Amino acid sequence: MKAKKLTYRNLPLFCLMLLTTFMWGCNQDDDEIQLDLVSFNNVALSSHNEVPEFNSIGTGQFNGVYNRQTKKITYNVTWVLSDLDDNTVGMHFHGPASPNESAPVVIPVTGFSDNSGGTFSGTTRALTKDEEEQLLSGKWYFNIHSTTHPTGELRGNLLRKK
């Protein structure tokens, strides 16, 4: 069988095929990168998310990204407790639970300030397959505990941002 020569007549078709292949390859990489990172940004930390909920002027915000490759959550949290004379006594990732349920601690956070407010950044250990499924199905929450509210003062349900 004889190989066909590339002629000027075939050149536009060849270039179109080459460009299409290149663009398809680039889109696939972008999609894979997007699928590997799951954002949990601007999650409000509030006493109204606690179970049972209560009224507190304390507030906070959780921003995080879950990396499906490393299986870790990288996060930043800011908070202010309702009582400025109070201390922060705990921070944890809890699960599995729906937004109106409580759950045990899955991953404790260490190294944060015990002041009544602050900012803290960290990275979790790698999640197990079951933990990943729970997180991605909206069954985890982040909780900040205080001396006045040792069972939890500020909670944010980690729901995926679309």
Side-chain angles (χ1 to χ4, degrees):
M1 181 179 258
K2 233 181 184 183
K4 288 190 175 187
K5 290 184 180 179
L6 182 61
T7 65
Y8 287 111
R9 198 173 79 200
N10 312 31
L11 190 57
L13 180 59
F14 176 75
C15 289
L16 181 61
M17 288 173 37
L18 187 62
L19 182 62
T20 303
T21 302
F22 176 75
M23 289 174 55
W24 180 80
C26 288
N27 285 340
Q28 289 297 317
D29 291 343
D30 290 346
D31 290 345
E32 288 174 15
I33 290 170
Q34 290 298 321
L35 293 175
D36 285 347
L37 302 177
V38 179
S39 295
F40 298 93
N41 289 327
N42 302 316
V43 175
L45 303 177
S46 167
S47 64
H48 297 287
N49 295 328
E50 290 289 344
V51 178
E53 76 173 88
F54 61 94
N55 195 19
S56 163
I57 61 170
T59 187
Q61 185 174 57
F62 177 96
N63 290 292
V65 174
Y66 176 68
N67 184 319
R68 290 178 190 251
Q69 295 299 313
T70 65
K71 308 291 186 204
K72 295 179 180 182
I73 304 169
T74 301
Y75 61 92
N76 179 277
V77 61
T78 59
W79 76 100
V80 177
L81 300 175
S82 59
D83 182 349
L84 297 181
D85 293 327
D86 214 348
N87 287 348
T88 303
V89 295
M91 285 188 192
H92 315 282
F93 289 87
H94 291 255
S98 68
N100 59 354
E101 297 176 317
S102 293
V105 172
V106 179
I107 299 176
V109 174
T110 59
F112 58 87
S113 164
D114 69 349
N115 293 332
S116 62
T119 299
F120 184 77
S121 296
T123 301
T124 65
R125 62 163 170 74
L127 275 58
T128 67
K129 183 180 178 192
D130 286 345
E131 291 170 344
E132 178 183 46
E133 288 173 8
Q134 294 163 3
L135 172 70
L136 297 178
S137 64
K139 297 194 183 232
W140 273 29
Y141 61 93
F142 189 83
N143 211 354
I144 297 177
H145 304 260
S146 66
T147 47
T148 302
H149 302 282
T151 60
E153 179 167 343
L154 303 172
R155 172 177 166 163
N157 300 308
L158 301 181
L159 305 173
R160 294 171 71 173
K161 302 293 179 188
K162 306 270 181 190

